Amino acid sequence: MSVIRKLQRQLTQKERTAVEITQAYLDRLQALEPKLHSFLAVTADKALAQAQQVDSAIAAGEALSPLAGIPIALKDNLCTKGIRTTCASKILEGFIPPYESTVTQRLADAGAIFLGKTNMDEFAMGSSTENSAYQLTANPWDTTRVPGGSSGGSAAAVAADQAPISLGSDTGGSIRQPAAYCGVVGMKPTYGLVSRYGLVAFASSLDQIGPFSRTVEDAAILLGAIAGHDTKDSTSLNVKIPDYTQHLKTDLKGKRIGLIKETFGEGLDGDVAQAMEAAIEQMKDLGAKIVEISCPNFKYGLPTYYIIAPSEASSNLARYDGVRYGQRAETDNLLSMYKQTRAEGFGAEVKRRIMIGTYALSAGYYDAYYLQAQKVRTLIKQDFEAAFKDVDVLLTPTVPSTAFKAGDKVNDPLSMYLSDLMTITVNLAGLPGISLPCGFDESGLPIGMQLIGNALREDTLFEVASAYEQATPWHEKMPQV
């Protein structure tokens, strides 16, 4: 059952106050934090003040929005006015934004309650949250394992019920991959559906903000609240936002689901393959027609992404120079101040990506790398366009295997990058994708299934995801932290 609906019913029927609900989440959050380290900052005073406002509105008989009184955790790359925003980087240590991001403003206007800022890979660069400059977040299902990344703190917080819902950002799988590792629902919307104003940029043509939740319905409610046109973001789409909760169905009659055959071969863990087979059978039982689809350029997603994303990162991260905001190294001249600030402020993975991107954009290499990657990106997009002529939704595993042990891949960046194999192409094509739980491996770790929709067809994704979720027990299982 929707956690948001349950909490809101308790509020409207006056079984609990918003302050009581908020305090209960703050207590659980603090009790689990020594084990999980999901949060970089807990904003208890702000949360209780916001809850008090909701209680006053209820007492005055005002109509409530669906998110009024609902606590939420925010990834630490979303600018929050007056609240420290670090992107888990030393270079932004102590940075307090003077403005609010569009999504957090919309949530505040809707009466949502901000519990705090969650841990992440530095500047959202990573797949395990091990690249945070501050702490290592644990997977609630097995604290020796990673929660995924880069939105690992947001995924772990929802999985462990430190927060009922949270926000993350997804540049190459940073919502869907940790959602799979932590056994929750995570959605990356169509590029441009949610404003990026106030999201600290990693790769501007790929970044998108999206929800984490325990159920598909909660993701639909949260997306509805943050989606919509924003004049402050030039890439924001001016489209009507439907009520996504009206598209939640219990059967899949008439739906055509395409299996991307390139994602079901070599390299797929046995337990994951089994869980996917069972999920496909369940879809058939619900009335869906299953079609095998080929996306021949899918395999080029990884190299294409790791040219385009670092190139955009190299450009975006040039602003961190010790002059305007953030950390500054004290040296005797301007050039050494630039060098020293960036050397001390950025971690190894961020430096690696800046160097890759700067190289790919440099004179003599731009055509061979960046331009070539943009051409391949177009081919990947065309593969998806052709596929959606035949099917409503595409299906893949979210990740080839379940969560790995912390430290296992730290010295092997290529192996780390491979965990985004299934998710990257969705960002390159600007499409919506959702990961939802579809089983467990023999060690009791969650397995995620990814559904990919056509541009702006989040309604269809929610329809298929909801029907599957309601027919299976996976979303009801909770880790024993």
Side-chain angles (χ1 to χ4, degrees):
M1 180 196 180
S2 161
V3 183
I4 293 174
R5 300 262 193 236
K6 189 174 98 182
L7 292 172
Q8 187 131 69
R9 198 174 63 235
Q10 291 172 352
L11 283 171
T12 52
Q13 293 180 1
K14 302 202 162 86
E15 292 170 18
R16 294 166 87 191
T17 64
V19 168
E20 286 169 347
I21 289 170
T22 302
Q23 191 60 61
Y25 273 103
L26 285 169
D27 291 346
R28 180 168 173 84
L29 188 165
Q30 300 283 21
L32 293 179
E33 213 30 29
K35 277 186 179 177
L36 296 180
H37 308 291
S38 309
F39 285 79
L40 287 173
V42 178
T43 52
D45 292 346
K46 182 177 179 72
L48 292 167
Q50 287 176 315
Q52 191 65 61
Q53 287 180 325
V54 173
D55 285 336
S56 300
I58 292 170
E62 293 176 25
L64 297 184
S65 89
L67 286 177
I70 308 300
I72 184 167
L74 305 166
K75 188 175 180 179
D76 200 30
N77 59 351
L78 294 166
C79 285
T80 39
K81 188 176 181 178
I83 300 170
R84 198 181 66 182
T85 301
T86 68
C87 293
S89 178
K90 291 283 185 205
I91 210 160
L92 281 177
E93 196 164 14
F95 172 63
I96 296 175
Y99 70 100
E100 196 76 50
S101 73
T102 295
V103 290
T104 53
Q105 188 61 61
R106 283 179 178 168
L107 290 172
D109 293 345
I113 289 158
F114 298 170
L115 294 173
K117 308 295 288 287
T118 56
N119 194 26
M120 56 185 280
D121 284 298
E122 184 181 2
F123 282 103
M125 297 181 196
S127 308
S128 64
T129 311
E130 291 171 287
N131 294 329
S132 168
Y134 299 105
Q135 62 195 33
L136 182 64
T137 297
N139 189 315
W141 292 92
D142 176 350
T143 53
T144 67
R145 293 176 188 268
V146 301
S150 63
S151 312
S154 290
V158 171
D161 202 28
Q162 289 179 294
I165 50 175
S166 67
L167 281 187
S169 66
D170 192 311
T171 306
S174 287
I175 290 174
R176 290 157 291 151
Q177 186 250 31
Y181 280 178
C182 291
V184 294
V185 175
M187 180 173 217
K188 173 229 171 282
T190 301
Y191 181 76
L193 187 72
V194 178
S195 170
R196 291 183 297 111
Y197 178 76
L199 169 70
V200 179
F202 161 16
S204 304
S205 76
L206 300 162
D207 298 340
Q208 210 27 205
I209 300 162
F212 285 99
S213 60
R214 295 210 65 79
T215 70
V216 173
E217 185 174 6
D218 288 333
I221 295 168
L222 183 48
L223 181 62
I226 60 171
H229 184 57
D230 178 21
T231 53
K232 295 190 185 104
D233 175 4
S234 62
T235 61
S236 173
L237 298 172
N238 195 354
V239 293
K240 189 175 183 300
I241 305 301
D243 178 353
Y244 296 117
T245 61
Q246 296 302 305
H247 295 272
L248 307 177
K249 296 202 174 162
T250 52
D251 69 68
L252 295 174
K253 288 187 179 69
K255 283 279 170 284
R256 292 170 65 83
I257 295 173
L259 309 182
I260 301 180
K261 73 173 185 186
E262 285 80 5
T263 65
F264 285 91
E266 191 188 342
L268 194 61
D269 183 82
D271 287 351
V272 174
Q274 259 182 321
M276 295 309 299
E277 281 169 28
I280 291 161
E281 287 307 313
Q282 182 69 62
M283 299 273 199
K284 285 181 187 167
D285 291 347
L286 291 166
K289 182 168 175 26
I290 305 294
V291 183
E292 191 175 85
I293 292 282
S294 175
C295 291
N297 295 296
F298 199 95
K299 60 179 179 282
Y300 303 123
L302 207 63
T304 303
Y305 175 88
Y306 279 103
I307 291 169
I308 292 172
S311 296
E312 294 185 12
S314 161
S315 171
N316 278 326
L317 270 60
R319 70 192 71 170
Y320 303 102
D321 54 11
V323 176
R324 286 158 287 193
Y325 47 79
Q327 292 292 78
R328 175 187 294 197
E330 296 304 326
T331 61
D332 53 4
N333 68 66
L334 185 65
L335 190 60
S336 67
M337 188 276 287
Y338 283 154
K339 285 181 176 175
Q340 202 63 27
T341 297
R342 290 169 73 81
E344 292 170 5
F346 290 137
E349 182 60 31
V350 173
K351 287 174 183 168
R352 182 184 289 121
R353 297 202 195 190
I354 289 172
M355 287 191 288
I356 291 169
T358 306
Y359 180 83
L361 292 175
S362 59
Y365 297 101
Y366 180 90
D367 288 2
Y369 291 101
Y370 188 73
L371 202 62
Q372 197 68 16
Q374 291 290 16
K375 288 176 181 173
V376 178
R377 182 182 194 169
T378 302
L379 296 176
I380 289 167
K381 238 176 168 161
Q382 288 169 351
D383 277 357
F384 279 121
E385 284 165 9
F388 284 117
K389 286 178 182 160
D390 296 328
V391 297
D392 301 296
V393 161
L394 292 164
L395 185 152
T396 77
T398 309
V399 199
S401 60
T402 50
F404 51 88
K405 283 197 181 291
D408 271 9
K409 299 188 179 185
V410 169
N411 298 317
D412 186 358
L414 201 57
S415 166
M416 185 79 83
Y417 296 168
L418 284 167
S419 53
D420 296 333
L421 193 65
M422 315 288 192
T423 51
I424 271 171
T425 51
V426 181
N427 298 75
L428 289 168
L431 300 175
I434 189 168
S435 176
L436 63 160
C438 70
F440 290 85
D441 72 4
E442 58 184 14
S443 307
L445 295 168
I447 295 168
M449 167 173 70
Q450 176 178 232
L451 299 171
I452 304 165
N454 208 345
L456 294 172
R457 292 317 306 262
E458 279 79 1
D459 53 349
T460 308
L461 274 188
F462 284 130
E463 208 175 301
V464 176
S466 173
Y468 174 79
E469 180 187 80
Q470 290 176 67
T472 55
W474 313 120
H475 64 289
E476 293 162 4
K477 299 191 182 302
M478 293 274 291
Q480 300 301 310
V481 189

